[in-house]
Amino acid sequence: MEVQSSNNGGHSSFSSLRVYLNSLSSTPSRLARRAVSVSTSSDEMSRVRAVSGEHMRRTLRWYDLIGLGIGGMVGAGVFVTTGRASRLYAGPSIVVSYAIAGLCALLSAFCYTEFAVHLPVAGGAFSYIRITFGEFPAFFTGANLVLDYVMSNAAVSRSFTAYLGTAFGISTHKWRFVVSALPGGFNEIDPVAVVVVLAITVIICCSTRESSKVNMIMTAFHIAFIAFVIVMGFLRGDSKNLTSPAKPEHPSGFFPFGAAGVFNGAAMVYLSYIGYDAVSTMAEEVKNPVKDIPVGVSGSVAIVTVLYCLMAVSMSMLLPYDLIDPEAPFSAAFRGSNGWEWVTKVVGIGASFGILTSLLVAMLGQARYMCVIGRSRVVPVWFAKIHHRTSTPVNASSFLGIFTAVLALFTDLNILLNLVSIGTLFVFYMVANALIFKRYVPVKAFMLGASAVVAIAIVLIFHFVVPQANKPELWGVPFMPWTPCVSIFLNIFLLGSLDAPSYVRFGFFSGLIVLVYLFYGVHASSDAEANGSFGVKEDGQVLKELTEV
């Protein structure tokens, strides 16, 4: 197709070293033109999507999305972050941390849903930011989210090794080996995690529908296991563990570390909810976006929040918080108990299923983000290719799968989790802002800045005085503008709960993203613009496509 080859024919900033160096001298003018260039819903649905050549098949329904949402979220959160957040930050009040993070995620899910219904493409947050704030903010947000996915998937795959060892009664240290020449935090080699990531990469390259079926089967087993863990926790646990530590010198009470500990815990466990974002990237493959996406995205978040809270209470009753194993909290709770060792093995097997489903969904999501970023030309268009037989983004899936496997091989869990939390909160914050911008700003731009400064008083004025410039025709977030405003506040509050090293790492990777855009992205998109690769079609035609089943 002409659209696919535009960077190879016609004007290209990368045809030779001399041409590229000359293009670099034009960076300021290109940056001024392209960085805030806004795409349209029509463009995203037509010309941009056509860059991939083949179309993704619309095969998913609301129950597939709920299954993918539950599979994507339950696993990473409970089995990777819960033990660490409870032991180090929140103690028994980890259940409150999950409730706060769940509320924040649900509000963000409403914002995602409105965008996904009206723009059912695979780009998720990247596409939503691109049609509101422009190309560079979209790339900055999308690239951060792809990095979040890769690092969270690497973290989860390493946790899989811990639970697999529990299931077989083998210490995690026997699955891994230490390379003393590497620095601390990067010297424990985990080959099992690599094998798991590469195996899932092969599955998601084959078929989205078949991947959904595999997820539904594993999720069914996983839900049964979750019910088992909750029941066992309440039967075997002791309510005094909710207020009393094992060692009297440690802080006691349900809130041993106070409100700060609760919010620090909420910031860490927020990683648990990244799965619903992956579901929104499946919008291009949903049969009826208007009906299926609201139920699938918001419904899965609500169900998972309840499950998380129940499991957090169960874990807190099983052991005092200062005895919880940060790596494998549930299985370790039964270790050494007379007559209950078999439960440890069941927990190890069940947790392994949960981790596999979360990996499957998250890796589906990360590949679709990379595919759509490739469609925009700010990264090589090679990532946008859809395979003609499988109708999946094979190139993006393979590249990110290998990247994830490399990180999973040697990077410590805690290093990965801290960086993922800050990136996820930043992306959800941006989407909520984009929704307010899309609904109101074209009429009263000054109100957006005022609402960010004065909070509730200004939001009241905003709500009653400012008319909506763009009311959704298909599905809209309830209680506008309160829902996205509260979402913004909670995301900022949780961002403030993260430690300084997290911000240092976030700044480092953000700097790399900016450099990629300056030295590649802005020039590639300028070439696409010069070659006539950006275009639109009538909004009425797009609306017709969205409402067709």
Side-chain angles (χ1 to χ4, degrees):
M1 295 179 65
E2 181 183 348
V3 183
Q4 291 175 292
S5 59
S6 60
N7 272 359
N8 298 325
H11 178 75
S12 174
S13 299
F14 309 98
S15 57
S16 68
L17 179 60
R18 182 183 62 81
V19 172
Y20 176 65
L21 292 176
N22 184 60
S23 298
L24 287 181
S25 65
S26 304
T27 299
S29 60
R30 290 184 170 187
L31 191 64
R33 187 178 70 254
R34 293 298 312 165
V36 292
S37 60
V38 177
S39 181
T40 67
S41 298
S42 303
D43 204 7
E44 295 292 319
M45 289 288 294
S46 55
R47 292 293 185 90
V48 174
R49 190 169 64 173
V51 172
S52 294
E54 300 291 330
H55 280 219
M56 299 182 191
R57 298 192 189 105
R58 292 191 178 274
T59 59
L60 303 178
R61 299 306 303 259
W62 64 268
Y63 46 83
D64 292 301
L65 296 182
I66 287 182
L68 288 167
I70 294 174
M73 287 182 277
V74 178
V78 170
F79 301 117
V80 177
T81 63
T82 307
R84 190 176 299 274
S86 179
R87 179 71 178 266
L88 302 179
Y89 297 114
S93 62
I94 185 66
V95 62
V96 182
S97 298
Y98 265 117
I100 293 171
L103 173 62
C104 190
L106 186 60
L107 296 176
S108 295
F110 285 147
C111 301
Y112 267 84
T113 299
E114 179 171 323
F115 274 117
V117 167
H118 292 81
L119 188 61
V121 294
F126 172 80
S127 297
Y128 311 154
I129 302 299
R130 192 166 182 240
I131 65 171
T132 50
F133 296 143
E135 182 176 277
F136 174 69
F139 176 67
F140 186 82
T141 302
N144 261 300
L145 195 51
V146 170
L147 284 173
D148 289 347
Y149 271 115
V150 169
M151 286 182 285
S152 66
N153 290 337
V156 170
S157 64
R158 287 180 71 88
S159 183
F160 175 82
T161 304
Y163 276 100
L164 189 66
T166 299
F168 289 99
I170 302 174
S171 171
T172 304
H173 297 293
K174 293 184 179 180
W175 295 92
R176 299 170 180 164
F177 57 92
V178 177
V179 178
S180 57
L182 295 175
F186 300 92
N187 58 350
E188 283 195 26
I189 306 302
D190 192 334
V192 175
V194 174
V195 172
V196 168
V197 169
L198 294 180
I200 292 177
T201 299
V202 172
I203 293 173
I204 67 174
C205 284
C206 293
S207 167
T208 301
R209 183 60 185 164
E210 295 307 314
S211 297
S212 176
K213 289 180 180 178
V214 170
N215 173 74
M216 292 290 275
I217 293 171
M218 289 195 295
T219 298
F221 280 108
H222 189 43
I223 292 297
F225 156 74
I226 288 172
F228 170 80
V229 168
I230 292 171
V231 171
M232 290 299 297
F234 281 93
L235 290 178
R236 176 67 177 167
D238 189 337
S239 59
K240 76 174 184 180
N241 290 332
L242 295 174
T243 54
S244 303
K247 298 180 179 180
E249 62 268 23
H250 290 161
S252 61
F254 185 71
F255 299 94
F257 303 104
V262 172
F263 284 101
N264 285 333
M268 175 167 279
V269 302
Y270 203 51
L271 164 66
S272 317
Y273 295 95
I274 197 173
Y276 84 78
D277 175 74
V279 174
S280 75
T281 67
M282 311 301 292
E284 196 168 314
E285 297 157 272
V286 176
K287 281 190 175 181
N288 190 337
V290 177
K291 295 180 180 179
D292 294 335
I293 292 176
V295 176
V297 177
S298 302
S300 61
V301 173
I303 292 171
V304 166
T305 300
V306 173
L307 292 176
Y308 280 160
C309 290
L310 288 174
M311 292 194 75
V313 173
S314 173
M315 181 194 71
S316 298
M317 290 179 65
L318 284 169
L319 280 178
Y321 77 88
D322 54 346
L323 292 183
I324 291 174
D325 184 347
E327 294 289 335
F330 289 97
S331 57
F334 292 96
R335 195 178 297 135
S337 299
N338 293 331
W340 294 93
E341 286 288 344
W342 63 274
V343 179
T344 300
K345 296 188 182 336
V346 173
V347 170
I349 295 170
S352 299
F353 269 112
I355 289 171
L356 288 176
T357 58
S358 66
L359 271 174
L360 176 67
V361 177
M363 291 178 69
L364 281 167
Q366 72 181 20
R368 278 143 188 81
Y369 267 113
M370 198 68 180
C371 172
V372 174
I373 295 175
R375 290 175 182 176
S376 71
R377 312 297 175 76
V378 291
V379 297
V381 74
W382 178 83
F383 289 110
K385 181 177 175 58
I386 302 295
H387 196 275
H388 68 279
R389 185 172 58 84
T390 64
S391 297
T392 60
V394 172
N395 293 347
S397 300
S398 302
F399 174 82
L400 292 178
I402 293 171
F403 188 15
T404 303
V406 170
L407 275 181
L409 181 64
F410 61 85
T411 310
D412 181 72
L413 183 68
N414 197 38
I415 291 174
L416 292 167
L417 291 183
N418 285 342
L419 187 56
V420 169
S421 295
I422 188 171
T424 304
L425 287 165
F426 170 75
V427 172
F428 292 171
Y429 162 80
M430 286 294 292
V431 171
N433 274 290
L435 182 63
I436 293 179
F437 188 95
K438 175 174 175 285
R439 287 275 202 110
Y440 295 95
V441 169
V443 176
K444 299 286 184 179
F446 71 90
M447 290 300 296
L448 181 63
S451 66
V453 174
V454 188
I456 294 178
I458 295 299
V459 174
L460 279 169
I461 298 172
F462 194 88
H463 179 52
F464 290 110
V465 175
V466 182
Q468 293 192 34
N470 181 13
K471 291 187 178 181
E473 297 181 53
L474 304 175
W475 190 92
V477 168
F479 309 115
M480 283 291 292
W482 294 100
T483 299
C485 284
V486 174
S487 176
I488 290 169
F489 170 78
L490 288 174
N491 280 298
I492 292 175
F493 195 87
L494 292 177
L495 279 168
S497 300
L498 295 170
D499 57 13
S502 297
Y503 283 92
V504 173
R505 297 183 189 112
F506 179 73
F508 173 76
F509 282 104
S510 296
L512 289 180
I513 290 169
V514 172
L515 290 176
V516 170
Y517 184 76
L518 290 177
F519 286 96
Y520 181 86
V522 68
H523 304 291
S525 66
S526 293
D527 291 347
E529 180 184 39
N531 294 327
S533 299
F534 297 123
V536 300
K537 66 179 178 181
E538 294 298 321
D539 289 337
Q541 177 62 26
V542 173
L543 183 61
K544 180 181 177 183
E545 289 182 7
L546 298 184
T547 53
E548 287 178 347
V549 180

